Amino acid sequence: AIDSSKEAVMLCITMLGVMSMWTGIMNVAKKAGLIDAMTRALRPVLRFLFPDIPREHEANEYIAANIIANVLGLGWAATPYGLKAMAELAEIKKEKGLPEEVASNEMCTFLILNISSLQLIPVNIIAYRSQYGSVSPTSILGMGLVATLFSTAAGVLFSVIARKCTKRREGGKV
């Protein structure tokens, strides 16, 4: 138990350092305008995935920043953006007069994207593998990309189908 607790503390310290570094890099990227540029590049994708969010709404920026951080494998850096995005999506839902206890299509789509988390560089897994003495901590890059690509594609497909079914059920056009 003592050895395990020591190992747990060491892992937490290592991961705190990794998280702090990447959160800082995301903040620098935001101040340098890179996040805004990437958000503009993601607009067509965001319009497809979230058609009911107004074009210039702040939720788009938070969703894009969350997606960018997740694609770069910075899950912990993505969390603050994800929480802000979900808060903005809740405000949009509230403005539309939807019930508070029911998640909107946009909220569900965002959650699915966040959970599936397409990653080019799984920084956290690489850090774990390095911490535990892996000879080649980056050897999982290819399979990690394939796995997250499939999970994200399945999530997007599910979201699109669910949105169409919801619109049909509500009597709106698809």
Side-chain angles (χ1 to χ4, degrees):
I2 292 174
D3 286 341
S4 294
S5 62
K6 175 185 170 190
E7 191 174 310
V9 169
M10 292 302 294
L11 180 61
C12 287
I13 291 170
T14 299
M15 296 314 291
L16 179 64
V18 170
M19 179 184 71
S20 299
M21 179 186 76
W22 286 109
T23 301
I25 288 172
M26 285 295 289
N27 285 332
V28 169
K30 172 97 175 116
K31 288 183 180 183
L34 292 173
I35 299 296
D36 292 335
M38 290 179 183
T39 300
R40 282 190 299 278
L42 280 175
R43 275 199 181 133
V45 173
L46 294 178
R47 293 298 312 146
F48 172 73
L49 293 172
F50 305 98
D52 295 333
I53 298 176
R55 288 189 187 272
E56 298 302 320
H57 198 280
E58 197 171 10
N60 289 314
E61 180 181 335
Y62 292 135
I63 291 170
N66 177 274
I67 290 171
I68 292 163
N70 275 326
V71 165
L72 296 175
L74 312 175
W76 288 332
T79 299
Y81 294 114
L83 294 173
K84 289 177 182 178
M86 200 57 90
E88 291 296 325
L89 293 174
E91 284 300 315
I92 292 170
K93 183 179 76 149
K94 188 176 179 182
E95 290 169 7
K96 291 181 178 181
L98 297 172
E100 190 174 311
E101 63 277 355
V102 177
S104 67
N105 286 335
E106 291 75 25
M107 294 170 101
C108 292
T109 298
F110 178 66
L111 186 61
I112 289 169
L113 282 177
N114 203 23
I115 291 169
S116 68
S117 187
L118 174 64
Q119 292 186 7
L120 296 178
I121 308 165
V123 174
N124 295 339
I125 300 302
I126 292 169
Y128 286 134
R129 290 173 53 91
S130 179
Q131 173 76 22
Y132 289 109
S134 173
V135 176
S136 180
T138 60
S139 65
I140 50 102
L141 287 176
M143 291 315 301
L145 177 60
V146 169
T148 60
L149 184 64
F150 277 108
S151 67
T152 300
V156 167
L157 180 64
F158 175 80
S159 293
V160 169
I161 292 169
R163 183 181 332 124
K164 288 182 180 189
C165 290
T166 301
K167 298 255 186 207
R168 279 197 186 115
R169 194 172 341 117
E170 293 172 352
K173 66 178 187 174
V174 178

